[in-house]
Amino acid sequence: RSAGWSTVGTITLDSAEAQKGPALLQLPSGRVLAYVAVADQVDAYFSDDDGATWEAYSHRVLDVAVGNSDIRQIKAEYSGGEVLLLVQWNTGGGAESCAQYASDDLGGRFTQIVSDWATDTSENPEALDIVPLDGEFLVVYHDGDAGTPKYYARRIASAYTNITNATAKEIAAGAGSAFVPGCTAWRDDSGIVYSYCHTTGTSRDLTPRRSDDGGDTWSDFSETAFFSG
């Protein structure tokens, strides 16, 4: 249902480009940033009035472009004075990969840390999300390249820490070839991290999981699938 939703504002892009997964990020000042794909690059826009009006923030923010122009998803998060930017892109052979970028100037310019996650790890990272953890970052994602697809979490101490060197912690069973993977995660005020993952039970199953130790271990809720039909 959409009865409670309305359009707050519209971003007029400087470069017309079909968007598959732009990102929103709110800085501690309250400023909201929007990251959008431009071929194999990313442009940034900002709003200081909760999204009512937008202006250009920085064009072509990546110091090194992603592997090709088929950008599928962008994710961004602020923690401890840094911004972590993850750009999921299709390799052209039907597989997904991801590039990692870091910024220490409030998300205006980014340095590439990882160019091709899939090549570095033999994973197929997709459906990513980022949770800020008191100066660190927890990244949750679906690995569709494994013999048995699964959702994982990797924790890094800084946006400048190579995420492919972090240990992957299993969250839940993944989505099979007949399902579109999806995952979201957040942290509550008590420090517990939650994740909802689209699983292989039926086409509409979501599996809720929780972690009390910053993503190192995960456990079920009392009901494995809380929405199914």
Side-chain angles (χ1 to χ4, degrees):
R1 295 182 179 181
S2 58
W5 294 88
S6 61
T7 300
V8 175
T10 301
I11 303 176
T12 301
L13 303 182
D14 294 329
S15 178
E17 189 86 17
Q19 299 298 315
K20 298 178 180 179
L24 289 175
L25 163 68
Q26 187 166 38
L27 298 173
S29 65
R31 170 169 287 183
V32 179
L33 303 182
Y35 293 98
V36 300
V38 182
D40 58 0
Q41 267 284 351
V42 173
D43 281 356
Y45 296 81
F46 78 94
S47 173
D48 288 328
D49 54 11
D50 295 325
T53 59
W54 294 86
E55 297 180 39
Y57 187 60
S58 182
H59 291 135
R60 311 306 191 270
V61 302
L62 311 179
D63 66 334
V64 180
V66 299
N68 65 31
S69 59
D70 191 359
I71 293 177
R72 300 296 182 90
Q73 182 187 43
I74 304 170
K75 286 292 183 179
E77 190 56 77
Y78 173 94
S79 186
E82 299 173 351
V83 176
L84 173 64
L85 187 77
L86 300 175
V87 183
Q88 178 191 331
W89 52 282
N90 188 272
T91 64
E96 300 298 316
S97 190
C98 180
Q100 175 191 351
Y101 297 87
S103 171
D104 59 7
D105 68 351
L106 299 179
R109 304 297 301 174
F110 287 87
T111 300
Q112 187 179 80
I113 309 301
V114 173
S115 62
D116 189 344
W117 181 335
T119 297
D120 292 348
T121 64
S122 298
E123 291 182 327
N124 188 180
E126 56 188 341
L128 303 111
D129 205 0
I130 309 172
V131 181
L133 296 176
D134 301 325
E136 299 184 342
F137 299 88
L138 182 71
V139 176
V140 300
Y141 63 98
H142 180 260
D143 175 18
D145 193 43
T148 303
K150 294 180 180 180
Y151 291 94
Y152 292 99
R154 290 176 183 251
R155 183 171 178 170
I156 52 178
S158 164
Y160 290 87
T161 302
N162 186 321
I163 194 166
T164 66
N165 292 333
T167 303
K169 306 287 188 176
E170 182 179 336
I171 301 175
S177 59
F179 301 90
V180 177
C183 186
T184 187
W186 70 96
R187 187 188 191 198
D188 70 11
D189 292 339
S190 67
I192 298 174
V193 179
Y194 297 89
S195 177
Y196 286 160
C197 302
H198 183 197
T199 60
T200 57
T202 74
S203 61
R204 301 180 71 181
D205 271 351
L206 294 178
T207 298
R209 303 278 281 171
R210 61 177 283 169
S211 174
D212 299 317
D213 53 13
D216 284 339
T217 59
W218 296 82
S219 59
D220 282 324
F221 288 173
S222 57
E223 295 294 334
T224 301
F226 74 96
F227 180 75
S228 179

